[in-house]
Amino acid sequence: MRTDSPKTIYRKDYTPPSYLVETVELGFDLDPACTIVASRVQLRHNPDSKSRDLVLHGEAIELVALRMNGRELNPDQYIIDNNILTIRNAPVNVLLEIETTCVPMENTTLSGLYTSGSGFYTQCEAEGFRRITYFPDRPDVMARYTVMLRADKQQYPVLLSNGNLLEEGDLGDGRHYAKWEDPFKKPSYLFALVAARLVCQEEKYKLKSGREVLLQVWVEEGNLDKTDYAMQSLKNSIRWDEERWGLELDLDRFMIVAVSDFNMGAMENKGLNIFNTKFVLANPRTATDIDYSGIEAVVGHEYFHNWTGNRVTCRDWFQLSLKEGLTVFRDQEFSADMIGTDSGRAVTRIDQVRTLRQAQFPEDAGPMAHPVRPDSFVEINNFYTVTVYEKGAEVVRMYQTLLGREGFRKGMDLYFERHDGQAVQCDDFRAAMADANERDLKQFERWYSQAGTPVVSVSGHHDGARQVYELTLRQSCPATPGQRDKKPFHIPVAVGLLGSDGKDLPLTLGGKALGTTAVLELTAAEQTFRFEGVAHAPVPSILRDFSAPVVLEYPYSDEELLHLFRYDSDPVNRWEAGQRLAMQRLLSLAQAVLDNKPLQLDDTYVAALRAVLTDKELDAAFREQCLILPSETIIAEQMEVVHPQAIHSARQFMRHAIGTALRAELLQVYGDNATPGPYSPDAISAGKRGLKNVALAYLLVQPNTEAVKLAGEQFAAASNMTDRAAALSSLIHSGADAGKQLDAFYTDFKGEALVVDKWFAMQGSAPHTNVAKVRELMKHPAFTLKNPNRARSLLFSFCNNNPSQFHAADGSAYEFWAEHVIKLDALNPQVAARLARSMDRWRRYAPALQIHMRHALEKVAAATPLSNDVMEVVSKALSN
Ligand code: TRP
Ligand code: ZN
């Protein structure tokens, strides 16, 4: 909570730590009401620092005793101010012995040491370790840790920490102990402990080198029937990191622990990954295909951090994307490789593009816009963003596009060769890529320093006489907070040219044959590329595989888009052509709604969609992607002034028109894509279910007897959660009476917290759910604000995924938002600040809505007390 006005921290103010830590010995006497932490820290003055002031961070803890080099320090021998403890003019070698206490059961922030259910868990990234003990809690201080855990044996039979178990035993008096040692030095944010009543699935696994490691997935009793997929994903991750990058697991033991109260997805603590249950627990009865793929991605992500994040870590938190962007890129490649086929890869890529447009582009155009490597922050927790993660991954992907797979691998090898065991910067990664390939990547730095989504405008010109096709590319980047003028980026633009037969033309540039896809390097504000030997005007396929995180402008005609949608050999751009066709129609429909004009959908578009829907040569998963229209959020980003109800009406009209016109084909596809037999989450089966269920949703845009019956039957007969949840969701979203099914679903799954989350989320995002209904749902006995998953399931799904109701004309939902940001803030500022972001784009809405939105934002800004987390978000939203 705020003690004084929030302080902005700047990247340019970085100074090296005055003291480095050699070893840390931690002793925990675990008690929910008062845990005693004893710390022995061996420090040494850092020759790179001029200061002799020993600086320790500490927050929400009680200092009981402090000894330096064997002598008790009196309160006049140190200063505690603003959560910083300073010992002036300390000696070169310092042994600190610190005793502190904390109250885990009252720690609702879920940062530091807290209780969840009947166990103890920690979360130290980014600055949670200081909530456990006084320590130089910054990632460039790396140390070796030994940990002694003591707790009641009955209540906390399992005691875990990082690294290897040295010994364990009884203490008498009903308590027991376990001593752990982590052989690798690490920053404090990777420390973890767990003390709880848990059970595990475990397995010995043989590495390529022949060494055997012990793998464990720890869960609460009763959940051992849901750990197989996490274990399988962990083994796949270990194998993949060896095969693709030559990176081996460096520990003899690797543990995953699932906890139901968790702020984010998961945490890569060394050897002891702690996970939100959502990304561990799955069986066919409770988890959907999307849940399964989430588990694979997050298990991979945290495992891959062991090298990209843990062995090589960040010098300071401004470098967060060094580990996160790189590790997201790695988990994306892992998921794609696990599918294995080109079209499967493309579907994962389409998903990534969707996420960028749905969340990252809006962030980059709003009040919280920041570079991939931010220059300042008030609260670092607010910078675990789609920009740092997903745009950061795009930046890493661009190196691979520019340098080729082999060149990129050489860069990775050099990065580890140079920096293993170090805390480094984004620039060091770029230098490794440049040096390993003898390339100049100086201009590429702007991807790290300039915020905003670049716009690439392209025009084409065909010269029949000279058989030359010219593409002229211009780039610009809108202003973002604190950055008015942008310099040109180094942008890889992958291009192909389609002939009138739909086939790729062979490409020649400057006499050089380049195959059928050329990566153009756009580095200037404007550049022209001349393709030779082009007899007839082609249709350009630009930004293939989404080769850069930019907005592409090209004056495509409908005919050209239909051509690409039918023929493009690049599946991502083929999908993209369909999205462009849809977007043009959605925008004119929304305008027609506003102008009170009749709505119509043209047959040409419907015919194009029909062709894809019924093309059995195409993977089901790809056809599903092509059928999904741009979301209401993505449409809103295209409008000068946003009218959420008009967007909703336009999109619903279009979906209904498609559902009606393609009824027969949709029914056929529905029948053809059943997946009888035992459930398997593999990409082919999941793709069939995805296509089948999107067909069902089209048939049920509005309640009609036939489709309601179909959905009802699917719901009743479903043998897996994917089909069951899809049927229920279609029913609710159509506005059909689904009371019976909702009750049955709740009754069947009330013991499964993650399924109850789905039950709330489905209702929160249904277009008929208004704010009054949400308030009613909040009174349900299963609802609580204290559990982040549950809070997200209802509140976030309403505020972020139900735009036509969230933006109700009377502003009542904004009031609701303000009230709950404030309520949540008192419990958990990190989660509250995420909810606060729902209002980021408020200035783009119709003026009548803006008045209500400003009011709600001001209400939150004026609340006391208010965390720095929420304060930063709402004050940036309100500032000009
Ligand atoms: N490093 C984690 C990841 O990306 C993110 C994370 C987990 C986190 N818990 C957090 C970040 C709490 C901030 C606060 O895998
Ligand atoms: Zn991560």
Side-chain angles (χ1 to χ4, degrees), residues 729-747:
S729 171
S730 280
L731 282 168
I732 302 172
H733 280 248
S734 74
D737 176 17
K740 219 176 61 207
Q741 283 95 345
L742 267 172
D743 288 349
F745 188 88
Y746 184 78
T747 309

Side-chain angles (χ1 to χ4, degrees), residues 123 125 264 266 268 301-302 323-324 381 384 389 830:
Q123 171 56 41
E125 189 176 6
M264 306 268 285
E268 69 264 25
H301 181 96
E302 307 311 331
K323 74 174 176 83
E324 295 304 346
N381 287 317
Y384 287 75
Y389 276 65
Q830 284 184 36

Side-chain angles (χ1 to χ4, degrees), residues 66-98:
L66 174 58
R67 271 186 302 281
M68 179 163 78
N69 294 338
R71 251 186 290 177
E72 195 83 32
L73 294 186
N74 300 319
D76 62 346
Q77 292 171 290
Y78 57 88
I79 309 154
I80 298 185
D81 182 36
N82 227 336
N83 297 330
I84 290 177
L85 187 159
T86 310
I87 302 171
R88 283 273 168 83
N89 282 314
V92 172
N93 288 298
V94 174
L95 173 66
L96 285 181
E97 292 164 282
I98 312 168

